[in-house]
Amino acid sequence: MNLKTRSFITLLDYTPEEINYLINLSSKLKSEKYEGIPHKLLSDKNIVLLFQKDSTRTRCAFEVGALDLGMGVTFLGPSGSQMNKKESVKDTARVLGRMYDGIEFRGYKQKDVESLAKYSGVPVWNGLTDKYHPTQILADFLTIKEIFGYLKGINFTYIGDSRNNMGNSLMIGSAKLGINFIAVAPKELWPEQNLVDICLKIAKETGSTIRFTEDKMEGTKDVDVIYTDVWVSMGEPKEVWNTRIEQLNKYQVDMELMKNAKSTAIFMHCLPAFHDKETDVGASISEEFGDKFPRVKNGEMEVTDEVIESNYSVVFQEAENRMHTIKAVMLATLGGEYE
Ligand code: CP
Ligand code: NVA
């Protein structure tokens, strides 16, 4: 498998074999890390991380992953560089490509990460855009594989805003790897039809199913995985909260829903999650909307505190796997020799 020089900007660009290769490589790198075996395989390389939006997991995964591989890392946040203000993405790409061996980008437009890949001449990794979050999917699937031992044939339900970056990317990833995908949400929050059509075609080849329902009990009945994400994503205006809570509060993942899945089912979330009042946003939303929508009164939105703290929940294993999978993506695309 040779992924050297490839960018990683959407899973649509990768074959099932390539995605499985990256998941297996992540698993090997994880074992080596646990055994204390160093893998500084890219010690002559430097990468730059461009973040227009906040991050804990993705940034730390790239930094720790890069350091474990022996690379130098530069972080550029939403302020502090010239990009977008005095310099176009295209010009920035042509500058950074002459200094760095790889570029990570987290931002708004998918078009920007595509431009970086087109003009930098080095591998570019999508650390989240409004449309896709492909590195997250590798971590999610590694976690499922660790728990169930396989991916093909897993029955997977994503419940919530199904046309955000997570909904889109999980649907693509599921289609590619033969996972049966169900999105549960009100119709207006289902993914765009053209992406659905692309995924249906892929699913046909891999032998999986993709379907959509507004019925949360039907859509979670006897599934292996229940996955959710925030109701309002980064970059969306504060004003959408009211409508989104109205649309999604009955789709909150609670114990009743988890018990409707298989007895061996797991709960997943890319994090960060609103499940208590311990965050500024969680506290202010519950204050503002708690009387009108009792489910959000305690700062619990897409998932209850009980579920995220329960034995169903694998969210921190999933978060750790961000690092092992991102490391694998960097190693494979920068061409580090690995036996
Ligand atoms: N899941 C995820 O991407 O988390 P961060 O926003 O903390 O990077
Ligand atoms: N949909 C979320 C994912 C965060 C990892 C967002 O874009 O904010």
Side-chain angles (χ1 to χ4, degrees), residues 128 133 164-166 229-230 233-234 270-271:
L128 179 149
H133 194 10
N164 73 8
N165 40 24
M166 285 308 307
D229 182 20
V230 289
S233 287
M234 289 184 280
C270 54
L271 303 182

Side-chain angles (χ1 to χ4, degrees), residues 241 272-287 298-301:
W241 270 109
F274 292 115
H275 59 95
D276 56 28
K277 276 192 187 162
E278 307 293 315
T279 63
D280 295 344
V281 177
S284 90
I285 295 295
S286 69
E287 181 69 26
N298 296 318
E300 296 169 314
M301 281 177 256

Side-chain angles (χ1 to χ4, degrees), residues 37-221:
I37 302 167
H39 36 239
K40 293 199 184 303
L41 301 162
L42 296 171
S43 54
D44 55 342
K45 308 244 186 264
N46 294 291
I47 62 163
V48 61
L49 312 179
L50 305 177
F51 278 82
Q52 295 178 332
K53 291 175 177 170
D54 290 339
S55 169
T56 298
R57 276 144 291 271
T58 309
R59 174 182 176 179
C60 297
F62 270 99
E63 292 211 15
V64 174
L67 294 171
D68 281 359
L69 292 169
M71 293 195 281
V73 185
T74 303
F75 173 81
L76 294 176
S79 64
S81 86
Q82 310 281 18
M83 191 170 84
N84 288 128
K85 286 156 275 173
K86 287 170 69 182
E87 194 160 39
S88 65
V89 173
K90 184 173 171 181
D91 287 357
T92 306
R94 288 180 287 179
V95 173
L96 296 178
R98 285 167 180 263
M99 297 187 193
Y100 292 95
D101 301 287
I103 301 172
E104 182 275 355
F105 174 80
R106 166 171 287 199
Y108 299 88
K109 300 183 202 137
Q110 184 69 12
K111 192 169 77 44
D112 285 348
V113 73
E114 285 164 5
S115 297
L116 281 170
K118 184 166 174 197
Y119 295 108
S120 67
V122 298
V124 170
W125 310 296
N126 182 355
L128 179 149
T129 61
D130 290 347
K131 195 158 182 197
Y132 298 128
H133 194 10
T135 62
Q136 178 72 49
I137 311 313
L138 296 180
D140 299 338
F141 288 0
L142 172 62
T143 309
I144 294 172
K145 200 166 178 191
E146 286 173 340
I147 292 162
F148 292 98
Y150 63 97
L151 289 166
K152 195 170 167 61
I154 285 284
N155 294 310
F156 183 104
T157 294
Y158 176 86
I159 182 163
D161 183 1
S162 305
R163 28 113 260 186
N164 73 8
N165 40 24
M166 285 308 307
N168 290 340
S169 299
L170 285 165
M171 178 171 67
I172 299 168
S174 297
K176 290 264 178 183
L177 295 198
I179 292 171
N180 300 314
F181 178 86
I182 306 173
V184 180
K187 260 201 183 78
E188 60 273 24
L189 296 178
W190 292 1
E192 276 177 26
Q193 194 55 46
N194 62 349
L195 183 60
V196 172
D197 290 341
I198 293 169
C199 290
L200 283 170
K201 207 167 152 227
I202 300 167
K204 208 168 164 200
E205 286 160 21
T206 62
S208 72
T209 56
I210 292 180
R211 58 186 194 88
F212 306 89
T213 178
E214 293 194 309
D215 181 338
K216 67 174 180 179
M217 297 316 273
E218 187 267 317
T220 53
K221 185 79 195 140

Side-chain angles (χ1 to χ4, degrees), residues 242-296:
N242 189 22
T243 321
R244 217 50 74 66
I245 297 173
E246 205 159 10
Q247 291 169 314
L248 289 173
N249 82 95
K250 76 166 181 182
Y251 295 98
Q252 181 183 65
V253 180
D254 57 15
M255 277 305 212
E256 190 197 349
L257 207 65
M258 287 310 307
K259 286 183 184 146
N260 190 44
K262 267 200 196 119
S263 59
T264 51
I266 56 173
F267 170 75
M268 302 185 81
H269 191 308
C270 54
L271 303 182
F274 292 115
H275 59 95
D276 56 28
K277 276 192 187 162
E278 307 293 315
T279 63
D280 295 344
V281 177
S284 90
I285 295 295
S286 69
E287 181 69 26
E288 196 174 340
F289 299 104
D291 290 337
K292 195 165 155 201
F293 304 104
R295 276 183 178 269
V296 306

